[in-house]
Amino acid sequence: MNQHWKNFLLSQNATFESDNLITFPAITGYNDKTIYSIAHLAVLTVSGKDAAKLLQGQITCNVNDITKIKGSLGALCNPKGRAITTFLLVKTGDDFLMVLPEELLESVKKRLQMYVLRSDVTLTDSSDQLCLIGLCHPANQAGPLFGTTQQEVITVNLSAAQSRSLVIAEADKAIALWSERVGNQGFQPENSEQWRYLDILSGIPWLTTETSEEFIPQMLNLDQLGGISYNKGCYTGQEIVARTHYLAKQKEHYF
């Protein structure tokens, strides 16, 4: 986590129970506008002219469908079709940002590096540069699921039914956004564990070191969330994932 961002959160009465568990003082009364600092997820930046080609050959979603206004969930699988990690993929400029569990970032980076070879691809752990913020607030109409807006910050819609979004921002912009939402718009800081709970309710699956390489993507509900493309071509583990789909053998979901 960026130290400037962490110092700011401490000044906002945050308590770090651990590196990725952040709590705030409880306040009586209900507030339907809440804000969260997210530290259990991190960002791996995939850049270079061959970035899209590398990812297309390794992940379950179709990279060609990812634009500046549309992201996607997906999974990186081993050759047996088991998900090493799930992720949220968004595009900014010519770079791809892969939001994934912080505890799996280094192993995923090493796995992807194996396939870079002579390609023009750079893999960068952006955990110290980019901050993640969760927002929940009432809205008359939510945007498209995983729809993306990019202005001062990157905002990804995480719900087709309500206004719940993930913000990706550099530290200074994250501080400015937090200050504006809390100081002027009435947002209440909430504990990071509550955000994990909201992800569970939304069916968004995040793996851990203990569950990595245990499940095929369909068992994680990725087919229902648009995180698997069955016509994009080959990628590592694709044969198992496709066979499961076309033979209709997978009947169990965990979400």
Side-chain angles (χ1 to χ4, degrees):
M1 174 179 283
N2 180 278
Q3 191 61 47
H4 186 35
W5 172 237
K6 183 174 183 178
N7 290 340
F8 169 77
L9 293 174
L10 290 170
S11 76
Q12 300 294 299
N13 299 315
T15 298
F16 284 76
E17 306 289 345
S18 65
D19 288 342
N20 55 27
L21 177 57
I22 305 169
T23 61
F24 289 89
I27 293 181
T28 57
Y30 173 73
N31 191 335
D32 58 4
K33 296 191 291 186
T34 50
I35 189 168
Y36 306 80
S37 175
I38 302 170
H40 64 283
L41 301 176
V43 181
L44 179 66
T45 301
V46 186
S47 56
K49 68 178 184 180
D50 296 324
K53 181 179 180 181
L54 172 75
L55 289 173
Q56 188 75 326
Q58 299 303 322
I59 62 178
T60 59
C61 59
N62 193 335
V63 175
N64 295 328
D65 292 337
I66 308 299
T67 68
K68 295 178 182 179
I69 61 172
K70 179 184 177 183
S72 177
L73 287 179
L76 173 72
C77 296
N78 65 19
K80 295 182 179 180
R82 302 281 168 163
I84 299 168
T85 190
T86 51
F87 56 80
L88 174 64
L89 191 67
V90 298
K91 188 176 184 181
T92 176
D94 294 327
D95 298 343
F96 292 91
L97 305 182
M98 183 181 284
V99 180
L100 73 166
E102 186 274 337
E103 63 188 283
L104 294 175
L105 187 147
E106 191 58 36
S107 61
V108 168
K109 180 182 176 184
K110 290 180 179 179
R111 176 68 66 118
L112 288 175
Q113 191 67 50
M114 293 169 51
Y115 298 96
V116 171
L117 301 177
R118 297 181 181 179
S119 300
D120 181 4
V121 178
T122 301
L123 304 171
T124 305
D125 178 355
S126 298
S127 305
D128 193 49
Q129 177 189 3
L130 298 174
C131 309
L132 300 175
I133 295 174
L135 295 173
C136 289
H137 56 90
N140 293 329
Q141 183 178 2
L145 186 62
F146 307 124
T148 305
T149 59
Q150 302 189 35
Q151 297 175 347
E152 290 295 313
V153 299
I154 299 171
T155 304
V156 186
N157 181 44
L158 297 183
S159 174
Q162 59 184 352
S163 186
R164 191 171 80 94
S165 54
L166 177 71
V167 175
I168 307 171
E170 295 178 349
D172 289 343
K173 293 177 181 178
I175 291 171
L177 182 146
W178 187 284
S179 300
E180 171 64 20
R181 295 300 176 102
V182 174
N184 299 326
Q185 298 182 23
F187 277 71
Q188 170 61 40
E190 287 285 354
N191 301 340
S192 58
E193 283 294 279
Q194 175 69 14
W195 185 261
R196 293 193 189 212
Y197 174 67
L198 294 174
D199 273 349
I200 292 171
L201 291 181
S202 297
I204 297 177
W206 297 115
L207 299 179
T208 65
T209 52
E210 290 78 15
T211 55
S212 178
E213 301 190 58
E214 291 293 322
F215 308 112
I216 61 173
Q218 290 96 326
M219 295 171 69
L220 299 171
N221 212 36
L222 284 183
D223 52 338
Q224 303 299 311
L225 292 168
I228 305 174
S229 171
Y230 294 108
N231 57 14
K232 59 169 280 185
C234 295
Y235 56 89
T236 301
Q238 179 264 343
E239 182 179 356
I240 304 300
V241 176
R243 183 184 304 161
T244 299
H245 171 68
Y246 288 114
L247 296 183
K249 288 185 176 180
Q250 177 56 42
K251 299 182 182 297
E252 183 176 14
H253 287 77
Y254 286 97
F255 291 86

